[in-house]
Amino acid sequence: MAGAAGARRSRSTGRVTLADVAQAAGVSPITVSRALRGERAVAPELCERVRAAAAALGYVPDPAARALASSRSSHVAVLIPKLSNTLFVDLLDAVQNTLVPAGYQTLIGVTHYSAAEEEAALRSFLAHRPAGLIVTGSDRSAAACALIDGSGVPCVRVMEVGREEGGYSVGFSQRDAGRAITQQLLDSGRQHIAYVAAQLDPRTLERGEGYAAALAHAGLADRTNQVLSAEPSSMALGGAMLERVLLDAPQTDAIFFCNDDLAQGALLAALRLGIAVPGRVAVAGFNDLPGSDQMLPPLTTVATPRREIGAQAAQMLLKLMRGQPVDAPHLDLGFQVVRRASA
Amino acid sequence: MAGAAGARRSRSTGRVTLADVAQAAGVSPITVSRALRGERAVAPELCERVRAAAAALGYVPDPAARALASSRSSHVAVLIPKLSNTLFVDLLDAVQNTLVPAGYQTLIGVTHYSAAEEEAALRSFLAHRPAGLIVTGSDRSAAACALIDGSGVPCVRVMEVGREEGGYSVGFSQRDAGRAITQQLLDSGRQHIAYVAAQLDPRTLERGEGYAAALAHAGLADRTNQVLSAEPSSMALGGAMLERVLLDAPQTDAIFFCNDDLAQGALLAALRLGIAVPGRVAVAGFNDLPGSDQMLPPLTTVATPRREIGAQAAQMLLKLMRGQPVDAPHLDLGFQVVRRASA
DNA sequence: CTGAAAGCGCTTACAG
DNA sequence: CTGAAAGCGCTTACAG
């Protein structure tokens, strides 16, 4: 006797449901579901009626209900090592730009370069039944790999090209890139080239291998000088490492830094200390980050296609999630040596 | 006759469910649900048994089922203008760091400083029934506000303190900060101070108001010189704007840039052009971004508490989502003028 | 090409 | 403090 009808036991959320659209269009809910998803053939005329009704009512499918019924959400989990590196933020941005218009939502997991954190993130994300997965690099614990494989969730690895590991990957050869920039230094007449790296992830190490290979190829294997620091990368650290290298190995006439932030810091430190670049020492970086072209002198570096990697990986994942064939499971997007005045 | 039992009509996903835990613990599913969520009183002994069973079975609650049943997901949508600004990435990182351990997932929406994009993002996110919302700034379309209010989803605004707008906010006074750094310039004896800004969002404009107020207070209202560009902020633009200002208004002896990237670019351009800083012109920035302390000379700027803003906003949202009282709905976290050698 | 039934895995709203 | 029933809003698996 409380008033209008339907006021008992109602858990209704007030939202427009599939059933509402079905009623308005004069068809069954399943038909609405199929028409709206474009799944299976629905008579064109019905299709039209359903779309019109959905639009008129302002129907928005409930992702939770859809996920529960289909046991697959509209989420794509993206695992990156850090948010403080422009590289990964650019990658993420590009991924989002192609996934969001396709109706997917991105879930970000930051792993801090830790295998344990990656595993934990994977475990938690997989519980959300993501439709897809994008992970950084090819190096991960066996447990993490098992988690991914066992889940059956399509996964694309980014930044490196991992043909050997199977699966799907989009990136470029870190080794070749390291080799190319070192070769550039050699070509400009440098003989005592050091490789300075921080935040020793596998990609950093691979660039070091490329560096060593270039020296070996030039018959300078005995002059290899890799200065590695496990500290996080920063401009301040770059400056400090420049000083250290020139102190420990004064004959050094060129330094290849594993990342532009280190190189930018080194350039600024050189300016402060009155060390001529490239006169006394040539400086090269990696990634072509914002600001590298503004340095004094402008920084010679390797431009990496992180945005395109993100876009292509997302595109590949889209195909996998839709069950469409992927013609090339491993995409090598290359890199570009950008010669500026610092080397 | 196909073999083992239970092979018909099964849509089972193989995952461990609440029912499995209930059976193992010898209680009803609702009791498990309550014990695990800590909702309502459950006998301590039962609670323990349930926890043990859940752990033994490796039970992970299904977020989709939970969202559908409770009409509230474990997602928090965060709307920021851009991913290319370190400021917002730091904010995001801090938000994630406090929300993820609390069991929430962050959904990122990038609005590109566009009211229309913000509205669209809001519409799409709200369909996901987020548990909470974090949005940047207090300026948004009436439609966007209506969307937020109408949804009933708890929302915290960040970066500015918006007591007037009601609701909840965490940030600092952009106006006061602009005023403080300008005062710093005045105190060091500068008389012809320009304010140079790009990417004219409301906060940038507020800083400009603070700048104007400081000049007015010093009796220099007639020397106000605001040079505004709607272009996106960048180091290169900062260099170009420095040149333009010194050309158009040669008497200028100090420039307050609305963001450190512009200021850093200006500093580098000054070095390139042989313009003495602070001798010929003092330079100040805003935000204290990475690299500002490495510049030549190091950049005087305003350190903004973006990480703490993110953390506190997340904390506040956590309370709102749990229905707990929030003692201070508007948190002013302040800022700090960092005096270095450029001004 | 269309539909009636059942179910996805939880929580709400009532009882006791 | 505990539970049996119903329901959240979709899609799957069968039929026709």
Side-chain angles (χ1 to χ4, degrees), chain A residues 3-28:
Chain A
R8 48 165 265 272
R9 278 197 155 258
S10 174
R11 286 177 61 186
S12 161
T13 54
R15 80 157 46 211
V16 178
T17 70
L18 202 64
D20 297 330
V21 178
Q23 187 165 27
V27 297
S28 75

Side-chain angles (χ1 to χ4, degrees), chain B residues 22 28 37 47-48 62 64 238 241 293:
Chain B
S28 74
R37 277 179 304 148
C47 225
E48 199 34 62
D62 185 323
M241 291 184 87
D293 59 339

Side-chain angles (χ1 to χ4, degrees), chain B:
Chain B
M1 251 135 228
R8 47 165 265 274
R9 273 192 158 264
S10 174
R11 286 174 64 184
S12 160
T13 54
R15 82 155 47 208
V16 178
T17 70
L18 201 64
D20 296 330
V21 178
Q23 188 164 27
V27 297
S28 74
I30 320 92
T31 300
V32 175
S33 172
R34 293 203 270 247
L36 258 27
R37 277 179 304 148
E39 185 241 29
R40 279 169 60 165
V42 171
E45 190 250 343
L46 280 192
C47 225
E48 199 34 62
R49 231 160 72 204
V50 167
R51 279 181 197 294
L57 295 175
Y59 171 68
V60 184
D62 185 323
R66 183 172 271 182
L68 184 58
S70 68
S71 70
R72 191 114 302 179
S73 77
S74 55
H75 294 299
V76 169
V78 180
L79 262 47
I80 55 174
K82 275 209 165 181
L83 237 20
S84 58
N85 193 336
T86 308
L87 190 69
F88 301 120
V89 176
D90 285 349
L91 182 78
L92 193 65
D93 199 26
V95 166
Q96 290 232 111
N97 286 344
T98 110
L99 248 29
V100 169
Y104 290 91
Q105 288 297 334
T106 297
L107 254 30
I108 299 172
V110 182
T111 65
H112 302 103
Y113 292 102
S114 147
E117 285 196 55
E118 188 180 49
E119 248 179 76
L122 235 25
R123 223 177 284 278
S124 135
F125 279 134
L126 257 14
H128 285 248
R129 322 194 228 196
L133 220 48
I134 290 180
V135 300
T136 305
S138 294
D139 56 303
R140 51 185 41 80
S141 69
C145 290
L147 238 30
I148 296 174
D149 295 343
S151 72
V153 175
C155 176
V156 176
R157 302 188 304 272
V158 288
M159 294 319 288
E160 300 165 49
V161 199
R163 285 180 238 282
E164 315 73 36
E165 290 86 358
Y168 302 88
S169 69
V170 180
F172 61 94
S173 166
Q174 304 279 339
R175 194 170 186 284
D176 288 355
R179 187 179 176 132
I181 185 80
T182 306
Q183 190 58 51
Q184 164 68 44
L185 261 14
L186 286 166
D187 289 349
S188 65
R190 305 292 163 161
Q191 296 271 335
H192 297 270
I193 307 172
Y195 176 58
V196 175
Q199 188 67 71
L200 307 174
D201 64 75
R203 290 168 294 288
T204 294
L205 268 17
E206 281 170 38
R207 281 168 220 156
E209 284 171 25
Y211 153 83
L215 289 198
H217 183 76
L220 300 173
D222 57 324
R223 294 197 183 157
T224 300
N225 180 21
Q226 298 209 31
V227 184
L228 310 178
S229 163
E231 279 182 63
S233 197
S234 74
M235 289 177 69
L237 181 63
M241 291 184 87
L242 169 80
E243 284 195 73
R244 204 170 94 203
V245 169
L246 294 186
L247 201 70
D248 292 353
Q251 73 281 18
T252 301
D253 58 9
I255 304 179
F256 162 29
F257 287 93
C258 76
N259 198 30
D260 273 11
D261 60 351
L262 292 175
Q264 290 181 9
L267 250 23
L268 259 6
L271 226 42
R272 206 156 44 226
L273 301 168
I275 299 169
V277 175
R280 163 69 181 88
V281 61
V283 172
F286 202 92
N287 279 330
D288 197 18
L289 299 184
S292 288
D293 59 339
Q294 299 295 311
M295 288 293 127
L296 216 67
L299 181 64
T300 289
T301 185
V302 176
T304 53
R306 50 207 184 256
R307 294 200 153 271
E308 212 192 325
I309 291 174
Q312 293 290 338
Q315 214 76 55
M316 193 181 280
L317 194 58
L318 237 27
K319 286 191 182 163
L320 291 170
M321 295 187 298
R322 291 168 177 158
Q324 296 167 359
V326 170
D327 23 71
H330 300 284
L331 231 54
D332 186 342
L333 262 23
F335 55 85
Q336 189 131 26
V337 172
V338 179
R339 175 134 203 228
R340 290 196 277 244
S342 74

Side-chain angles (χ1 to χ4, degrees), chain A residues 264 267-268 291-299, chain B residues 235 268 272:
Chain A
Q264 290 180 11
L267 251 22
L268 258 7
S292 288
D293 60 338
Q294 299 296 311
M295 288 293 128
L296 213 68
L299 181 64
Chain B
M235 289 177 69
L268 259 6
R272 206 156 44 226

Side-chain angles (χ1 to χ4, degrees), chain A residues 21 25 27 31 35-36 42-56:
Chain A
V21 178
V27 297
T31 300
L36 259 26
V42 171
E45 190 249 342
L46 281 193
C47 228
E48 200 34 63
R49 231 160 69 203
V50 167
R51 280 182 196 292

